[in-house]
Coordinates of all heavy atoms in Angstrom, one line a residue:
M1 N -14.3 16.8 -2.4 CA -13.2 15.9 -2.7 C -12.9 14.9 -1.6 O -12.9 15.3 -0.4 CB -11.9 16.7 -3.0 CG -11.9 17.4 -4.3 SD -11.8 16.2 -5.7 CE -10.1 15.7 -5.6
P2 N -12.8 13.7 -1.9 CA -12.4 12.7 -0.9 C -11.1 13.0 -0.3 O -10.2 13.6 -1.0 CB -12.4 11.3 -1.6 CG -12.4 11.6 -3.0 CD -12.9 13.1 -3.2
R3 N -10.9 12.6 1.0 CA -9.6 12.9 1.7 C -8.5 12.3 1.0 O -7.4 12.8 0.9 CB -9.8 12.4 3.1 CG -8.7 12.8 4.0 CD -9.2 12.8 5.4 NE -9.7 11.5 5.8 CZ -9.0 10.6 6.5 NH1 -7.8 10.8 6.9 NH2 -9.6 9.4 6.9
R4 N -8.6 11.0 0.5 CA -7.5 10.3 -0.1 C -7.8 10.3 -1.6 O -8.5 9.4 -2.1 CB -7.5 8.9 0.5 CG -7.2 8.9 1.9 CD -7.5 7.5 2.5 NE -7.2 7.6 4.0 CZ -8.1 7.2 4.9 NH1 -9.3 6.8 4.6 NH2 -7.8 7.3 6.2
S5 N -7.2 11.3 -2.2 CA -7.7 11.5 -3.6 C -7.1 10.5 -4.6 O -7.9 10.0 -5.4 CB -7.3 12.9 -3.9 OG -5.9 13.1 -3.7
I6 N -5.8 10.3 -4.6 CA -5.3 9.6 -5.8 C -5.0 8.2 -5.6 O -4.8 7.4 -6.6 CB -4.1 10.4 -6.4 CG1 -2.9 10.3 -5.5 CG2 -4.5 11.8 -6.8 CD1 -1.7 10.7 -6.2
F7 N -4.9 7.7 -4.3 CA -4.5 6.3 -4.1 C -5.7 5.5 -3.5 O -6.5 6.0 -2.8 CB -3.4 6.2 -3.1 CG -2.1 6.7 -3.7 CD1 -1.4 7.8 -3.0 CD2 -1.5 6.2 -4.8 CE1 -0.2 8.3 -3.5 CE2 -0.3 6.6 -5.2 CZ 0.4 7.7 -4.6
K8 N -5.6 4.2 -3.8 CA -6.4 3.2 -3.1 C -5.4 2.1 -2.7 O -4.3 2.0 -3.3 CB -7.5 2.6 -4.0 CG -6.9 2.0 -5.3 CD -8.1 1.6 -6.3 CE -7.5 1.1 -7.6 NZ -8.6 0.7 -8.5
A9 N -5.8 1.3 -1.7 CA -4.9 0.3 -1.1 C -5.3 -1.1 -1.5 O -6.5 -1.4 -1.5 CB -4.8 0.5 0.4
C10 N -4.3 -1.9 -1.9 CA -4.6 -3.3 -2.2 C -5.0 -4.0 -0.9 O -4.3 -3.9 0.1 CB -3.3 -3.9 -2.7 SG -3.5 -5.7 -3.0
R11 N -6.1 -4.7 -0.9 CA -6.6 -5.4 0.3 C -5.7 -6.5 0.7 O -5.6 -6.9 1.9 CB -8.0 -6.0 0.1 CG -9.1 -5.0 0.3 CD -10.4 -5.7 0.4 NE -11.5 -4.7 0.6 CZ -11.8 -4.2 1.7 NH1 -11.2 -4.5 2.8 NH2 -12.8 -3.3 1.8
N12 N -5.0 -7.1 -0.3 CA -4.1 -8.2 0.0 C -2.8 -7.9 0.6 O -2.4 -8.4 1.6 CB -3.9 -9.0 -1.3 CG -3.2 -10.3 -1.1 OD1 -3.4 -11.0 -0.1 ND2 -2.2 -10.6 -2.0
C13 N -2.1 -6.9 0.1 CA -0.8 -6.6 0.5 C -0.6 -5.2 1.0 O 0.5 -4.8 1.6 CB 0.3 -6.9 -0.6 SG 0.2 -5.7 -1.9
G14 N -1.6 -4.3 0.8 CA -1.5 -3.0 1.3 C -0.8 -2.0 0.4 O -0.6 -0.8 0.8
A15 N -0.4 -2.4 -0.7 CA 0.3 -1.5 -1.7 C -0.7 -0.4 -2.1 O -1.9 -0.6 -2.2 CB 0.7 -2.2 -2.9
L16 N -0.1 0.8 -2.2 CA -0.9 2.0 -2.6 C -0.8 2.1 -4.1 O 0.3 2.2 -4.6 CB -0.5 3.2 -1.9 CG -0.8 3.3 -0.4 CD1 -0.3 4.5 0.2 CD2 -2.3 3.2 -0.2
V17 N -1.9 2.1 -4.8 CA -1.9 2.2 -6.3 C -2.8 3.3 -6.7 O -3.6 3.8 -6.0 CB -2.3 0.9 -7.0 CG1 -1.4 -0.3 -6.6 CG2 -3.8 0.6 -6.7
K18 N -2.5 3.8 -7.9 CA -3.4 4.9 -8.4 C -4.8 4.4 -8.6 O -5.0 3.2 -8.8 CB -2.8 5.4 -9.7 CG -1.6 6.2 -9.5 CD -1.2 7.0 -10.7 CE 0.0 7.9 -10.4 NZ 0.7 8.3 -11.6
R19 N -5.7 5.3 -8.4 CA -7.1 5.0 -8.4 C -7.6 4.3 -9.7 O -8.5 3.5 -9.7 CB -7.9 6.3 -8.3 CG -9.3 6.2 -8.0 CD -9.9 7.4 -7.3 NE -9.4 7.5 -6.0 CZ -9.9 6.7 -5.0 NH1 -10.8 5.9 -5.2 NH2 -9.4 6.8 -3.8
D20 N -6.9 4.5 -10.8 CA -7.4 3.9 -12.1 C -6.7 2.6 -12.3 O -6.9 1.9 -13.4 CB -7.2 4.9 -13.2 CG -5.7 5.3 -13.4 OD1 -4.9 4.8 -12.6 OD2 -5.4 6.1 -14.3
A21 N -5.8 2.1 -11.4 CA -5.2 0.8 -11.6 C -6.2 -0.4 -11.4 O -7.1 -0.3 -10.5 CB -4.0 0.6 -10.7
D22 N -6.1 -1.4 -12.2 CA -6.9 -2.6 -12.0 C -6.3 -3.7 -11.3 O -7.0 -4.6 -10.7 CB -7.4 -3.1 -13.4 CG -8.2 -2.1 -14.2 OD1 -9.0 -1.4 -13.5 OD2 -8.1 -2.0 -15.4
V23 N -5.0 -3.8 -11.3 CA -4.2 -4.9 -10.7 C -3.1 -4.4 -9.9 O -2.4 -3.4 -10.3 CB -3.7 -5.8 -11.8 CG1 -2.8 -6.9 -11.2 CG2 -4.8 -6.4 -12.7
C24 N -2.9 -5.0 -8.7 CA -1.9 -4.6 -7.8 C -0.5 -4.9 -8.4 O -0.3 -6.1 -8.8 CB -2.1 -5.2 -6.5 SG -0.7 -5.0 -5.4
P25 N 0.4 -4.0 -8.6 CA 1.7 -4.3 -9.2 C 2.6 -5.1 -8.2 O 3.6 -5.7 -8.7 CB 2.3 -2.9 -9.4 CG 1.6 -2.0 -8.5 CD 0.3 -2.6 -8.2
V26 N 2.2 -5.2 -7.0 CA 3.1 -5.9 -6.0 C 2.7 -7.4 -6.0 O 3.5 -8.3 -6.1 CB 3.0 -5.3 -4.6 CG1 3.8 -6.1 -3.6 CG2 3.6 -3.9 -4.7
C27 N 1.4 -7.7 -5.8 CA 0.9 -9.0 -5.5 C 0.0 -9.6 -6.6 O -0.4 -10.7 -6.6 CB 0.2 -9.1 -4.1 SG -1.4 -8.4 -4.1
G28 N -0.4 -8.7 -7.5 CA -1.3 -9.2 -8.6 C -2.8 -9.2 -8.2 O -3.6 -9.6 -8.9
G29 N -3.1 -8.8 -6.9 CA -4.5 -8.8 -6.5 C -5.3 -7.8 -7.2 O -4.8 -6.8 -7.8
S30 N -6.6 -7.9 -7.1 CA -7.5 -7.0 -7.8 C -8.6 -6.4 -6.9 O -9.6 -5.9 -7.4 CB -8.1 -7.7 -9.0 OG -8.8 -8.8 -8.7
T31 N -8.4 -6.6 -5.6 CA -9.4 -6.0 -4.7 C -8.7 -4.8 -4.0 O -7.6 -5.0 -3.4 CB -10.0 -7.0 -3.7 OG1 -8.9 -7.6 -3.0 CG2 -10.8 -8.0 -4.4
F32 N -9.4 -3.7 -3.9 CA -8.8 -2.5 -3.4 C -9.8 -1.8 -2.4 O -11.0 -2.1 -2.5 CB -8.5 -1.5 -4.5 CG -7.4 -2.1 -5.4 CD1 -7.9 -2.7 -6.6 CD2 -6.1 -2.0 -5.2 CE1 -6.9 -3.2 -7.5 CE2 -5.2 -2.5 -6.1 CZ -5.6 -3.1 -7.2
T33 N -9.3 -1.0 -1.6 CA -10.2 -0.3 -0.6 C -9.7 1.1 -0.5 O -8.5 1.4 -0.6 CB -10.2 -1.0 0.7 OG1 -11.0 -0.2 1.6 CG2 -8.8 -1.1 1.3
D34 N -10.6 2.0 -0.2 CA -10.3 3.4 0.2 C -10.1 3.6 1.7 O -9.7 4.6 2.1 CB -11.4 4.3 -0.3 CG -11.5 4.5 -1.8 OD1 -10.4 4.5 -2.4 OD2 -12.6 4.6 -2.3
D35 N -10.3 2.5 2.4 CA -10.2 2.5 3.9 C -8.8 2.2 4.3 O -8.5 1.0 4.7 CB -11.2 1.6 4.5 CG -11.3 1.7 6.0 OD1 -10.7 2.7 6.5 OD2 -11.8 0.8 6.6
W36 N -7.9 3.1 4.2 CA -6.5 2.9 4.6 C -6.0 4.1 5.3 O -6.5 5.2 5.2 CB -5.6 2.5 3.4 CG -5.6 3.6 2.3 CD1 -6.5 3.7 1.3 CD2 -4.7 4.7 2.2 NE1 -6.1 4.8 0.5 CE2 -5.0 5.4 1.0 CE3 -3.6 5.1 2.9 CZ2 -4.3 6.5 0.6 CZ3 -2.9 6.2 2.5 CH2 -3.3 6.9 1.4
E37 N -4.9 3.9 6.1 CA -4.3 5.0 6.8 C -2.8 4.9 6.8 O -2.2 3.8 6.8 CB -4.7 4.9 8.3 CG -6.1 5.4 8.5 CD -6.4 5.4 10.0 OE1 -5.6 5.7 10.8 OE2 -7.6 5.1 10.3
G38 N -2.1 6.0 6.7 CA -0.7 6.1 6.8 C 0.0 5.6 5.5 O -0.7 5.0 4.7
M39 N 1.2 6.0 5.3 CA 1.9 5.7 4.1 C 3.3 5.5 4.4 O 3.9 6.3 5.1 CB 1.7 6.9 3.1 CG 2.3 6.6 1.7 SD 2.2 8.1 0.7 CE 0.5 8.1 0.3
V40 N 3.9 4.4 3.8 CA 5.3 4.2 4.0 C 5.9 3.8 2.7 O 5.4 3.1 1.9 CB 5.6 3.1 5.1 CG1 4.9 1.8 4.7 CG2 7.1 2.9 5.3
I41 N 7.1 4.4 2.4 CA 7.8 4.1 1.2 C 8.9 3.2 1.5 O 9.8 3.6 2.3 CB 8.3 5.4 0.5 CG1 7.1 6.3 0.2 CG2 9.0 5.1 -0.8 CD1 7.5 7.7 -0.3
I42 N 8.9 2.0 0.9 CA 10.0 1.1 1.2 C 10.9 1.0 -0.1 O 10.4 0.7 -1.2 CB 9.4 -0.3 1.5 CG1 8.7 -0.2 2.9 CG2 10.5 -1.4 1.5 CD1 8.0 -1.5 3.3
L43 N 12.1 1.4 0.1 CA 13.0 1.5 -1.1 C 13.9 0.2 -1.2 O 14.2 -0.2 -2.2 CB 13.9 2.7 -0.9 CG 13.2 4.1 -0.9 CD1 14.1 5.2 -0.7 CD2 12.5 4.3 -2.3
D44 N 14.3 -0.3 0.0 CA 15.2 -1.4 0.0 C 14.7 -2.4 1.1 O 15.2 -2.3 2.2 CB 16.6 -0.9 0.3 CG 17.6 -2.1 0.1 OD1 17.2 -3.2 0.1 OD2 18.8 -1.8 0.1
P45 N 13.9 -3.3 0.7 CA 13.2 -4.2 1.7 C 14.2 -5.0 2.5 O 14.0 -5.3 3.7 CB 12.4 -5.1 0.9 CG 12.1 -4.4 -0.4 CD 13.3 -3.5 -0.6
K46 N 15.4 -5.4 1.9 CA 16.3 -6.2 2.6 C 17.0 -5.4 3.7 O 17.5 -6.0 4.7 CB 17.4 -6.7 1.7 CG 16.8 -7.8 0.8 CD 17.9 -8.5 0.0 CE 17.3 -9.8 -0.7 NZ 16.1 -9.5 -1.5
E47 N 17.1 -4.1 3.6 CA 17.8 -3.3 4.6 C 16.8 -2.5 5.5 O 17.3 -1.8 6.4 CB 18.7 -2.3 3.9 CG 19.8 -2.9 3.0 CD 20.8 -3.7 3.8 OE1 21.1 -3.3 5.0 OE2 21.2 -4.8 3.3
S48 N 15.6 -2.6 5.2 CA 14.6 -1.8 5.9 C 14.0 -2.4 7.1 O 13.3 -3.5 6.9 CB 13.5 -1.3 4.9 OG 12.4 -0.8 5.6
F49 N 14.1 -1.8 8.2 CA 13.5 -2.3 9.4 C 11.9 -2.3 9.3 O 11.2 -3.2 9.6 CB 13.9 -1.5 10.6 CG 13.2 -1.8 11.9 CD1 13.5 -3.0 12.6 CD2 12.2 -1.0 12.4 CE1 12.8 -3.3 13.7 CE2 11.5 -1.3 13.6 CZ 11.8 -2.5 14.2
V50 N 11.5 -1.2 8.7 CA 10.0 -1.0 8.5 C 9.5 -2.2 7.6 O 8.4 -2.7 7.8 CB 9.7 0.3 7.8 CG1 8.2 0.5 7.5 CG2 10.1 1.5 8.8
A51 N 10.2 -2.5 6.6 CA 9.8 -3.6 5.7 C 9.7 -4.9 6.4 O 8.7 -5.6 6.2 CB 10.8 -3.7 4.5
K52 N 10.6 -5.1 7.3 CA 10.5 -6.4 8.1 C 9.3 -6.4 9.0 O 8.6 -7.4 9.1 CB 11.8 -6.6 8.9 CG 13.0 -6.9 8.0 CD 14.2 -7.2 8.9 CE 15.4 -7.7 8.0 NZ 16.0 -6.6 7.2
V53 N 9.1 -5.2 9.7 CA 8.0 -5.1 10.6 C 6.7 -5.4 9.9 O 5.8 -6.0 10.3 CB 8.0 -3.8 11.3 CG1 6.7 -3.6 12.1 CG2 9.2 -3.7 12.3
L54 N 6.6 -4.7 8.7 CA 5.3 -4.8 8.0 C 5.2 -6.1 7.1 O 4.2 -6.4 6.5 CB 5.1 -3.6 7.1 CG 5.0 -2.3 7.8 CD1 4.9 -1.1 6.8 CD2 3.8 -2.3 8.7
G55 N 6.3 -6.8 7.0 CA 6.3 -8.0 6.2 C 6.4 -7.8 4.7 O 5.8 -8.6 4.0
K56 N 7.0 -6.7 4.3 CA 7.0 -6.4 2.9 C 8.3 -6.9 2.3 O 9.4 -6.7 2.9 CB 6.9 -4.9 2.6 CG 5.7 -4.3 3.3 CD 4.4 -4.9 3.0 CE 3.2 -4.1 3.6 NZ 2.0 -4.9 3.5
E57 N 8.2 -7.4 1.1 CA 9.4 -7.9 0.4 C 9.8 -7.2 -0.9 O 10.7 -7.6 -1.5 CB 9.3 -9.4 0.2 CG 9.1 -10.2 1.4 CD 8.9 -11.7 1.2 OE1 8.6 -12.1 0.0 OE2 8.9 -12.5 2.2
K58 N 8.9 -6.3 -1.2 CA 9.1 -5.6 -2.5 C 9.1 -4.1 -2.3 O 8.3 -3.6 -1.5 CB 8.0 -6.0 -3.4 CG 8.2 -5.6 -4.9 CD 7.3 -6.4 -5.8 CE 7.4 -5.9 -7.2 NZ 6.6 -6.6 -8.1
A59 N 10.0 -3.4 -2.9 CA 10.1 -2.0 -2.8 C 8.9 -1.4 -3.5 O 8.5 -1.6 -4.6 CB 11.4 -1.4 -3.5
Y60 N 8.2 -0.6 -2.7 CA 6.9 0.1 -3.2 C 6.4 1.0 -2.1 O 7.0 1.2 -1.0 CB 5.9 -1.0 -3.5 CG 4.9 -0.5 -4.5 CD1 5.2 -0.3 -5.8 CD2 3.6 -0.2 -4.1 CE1 4.3 0.1 -6.7 CE2 2.7 0.2 -5.0 CZ 3.0 0.4 -6.3 OH 2.1 0.9 -7.2
I61 N 5.3 1.6 -2.4 CA 4.6 2.5 -1.4 C 3.5 1.7 -0.8 O 2.6 1.1 -1.6 CB 4.0 3.7 -2.1 CG1 5.1 4.5 -2.9 CG2 3.4 4.7 -1.0 CD1 4.5 5.6 -3.8
Y62 N 3.4 1.6 0.5 CA 2.4 0.8 1.2 C 1.6 1.7 2.2 O 2.1 2.6 2.7 CB 3.0 -0.3 2.0 CG 3.7 -1.3 1.1 CD1 5.1 -1.2 0.9 CD2 3.0 -2.4 0.6 CE1 5.7 -2.2 0.1 CE2 3.7 -3.3 -0.2 CZ 5.0 -3.2 -0.4 OH 5.7 -4.1 -1.2
A63 N 0.3 1.3 2.3 CA -0.4 1.8 3.5 C 0.0 1.1 4.7 O 0.3 -0.1 4.7 CB -1.9 1.6 3.2
I64 N 0.0 1.8 5.8 CA 0.4 1.2 7.1 C -0.8 0.4 7.6 O -0.6 -0.7 8.2 CB 0.8 2.3 8.1 CG1 2.1 2.9 7.6 CG2 1.0 1.7 9.5 CD1 2.6 4.1 8.4
K65 N -2.0 0.9 7.5 CA -3.2 0.2 7.9 C -4.1 0.1 6.7 O -4.4 1.1 6.1 CB -3.9 0.9 9.0 CG -3.3 0.8 10.4 CD -4.3 1.5 11.3 CE -3.9 1.5 12.7 NZ -4.9 2.2 13.5
V66 N -4.7 -1.1 6.6 CA -5.7 -1.2 5.5 C -7.0 -1.8 6.2 O -6.9 -2.7 7.0 CB -5.3 -2.2 4.4 CG1 -6.4 -2.5 3.4 CG2 -4.0 -1.7 3.7
G67 N -8.1 -1.2 5.8 CA -9.4 -1.4 6.3 C -9.7 -2.6 7.2 O -9.1 -3.7 7.0
G68 N -10.5 -2.4 8.2 CA -11.0 -3.5 9.0 C -10.2 -3.6 10.3 O -10.5 -4.5 11.1
F69 N -9.2 -2.8 10.5 CA -8.4 -2.8 11.7 C -9.1 -1.9 12.8 O -9.7 -0.9 12.4 CB -7.0 -2.3 11.5 CG -6.2 -3.3 10.7 CD1 -6.0 -3.1 9.3 CD2 -5.6 -4.4 11.3 CE1 -5.3 -4.0 8.6 CE2 -4.9 -5.3 10.5 CZ -4.7 -5.1 9.2
Ligands
ZN101 ZN1 -1.3 -6.2 -3.5

């Protein structure tokens, strides 16, 4: 079994989506990668320091790092 079983990360915005998703629900992108690390759940982007640091504007689950870093 792969280490990261059920999620893949959107290459554009880093959102974690289920493996069978075709389109990112956050940015609408359609390119994904299995090369991601870390996970952060952003519930309230306007109040979240983490959201500001990562530049996220929408409540969702994101990978902290996405491929190529
Ligand atoms: Zn996305």
Side-chain angles (χ1 to χ4, degrees):
M1 285 291 288
R3 187 156 58 98
R4 298 166 179 125
S5 52
I6 66 167
F7 290 119
K8 57 187 178 180
C10 174
R11 275 195 184 279
N12 186 42
C13 72
L16 292 175
V17 301
K18 286 194 177 156
R19 190 155 290 284
D20 58 0
D22 293 325
V23 175
C24 172
V26 174
C27 73
S30 59
T31 54
F32 300 94
T33 178
D34 288 324
D35 186 13
W36 59 271
E37 284 184 33
M39 181 185 288
V40 59
I41 300 172
I42 293 175
L43 298 175
D44 188 346
K46 289 191 170 49
E47 299 297 324
S48 167
F49 176 73
V50 175
K52 289 186 176 68
V53 169
L54 296 178
K56 308 305 186 192
E57 297 176 349
K58 191 165 173 175
Y60 204 70
I61 307 169
Y62 296 93
I64 293 172
K65 284 187 181 180
V66 176
F69 292 98

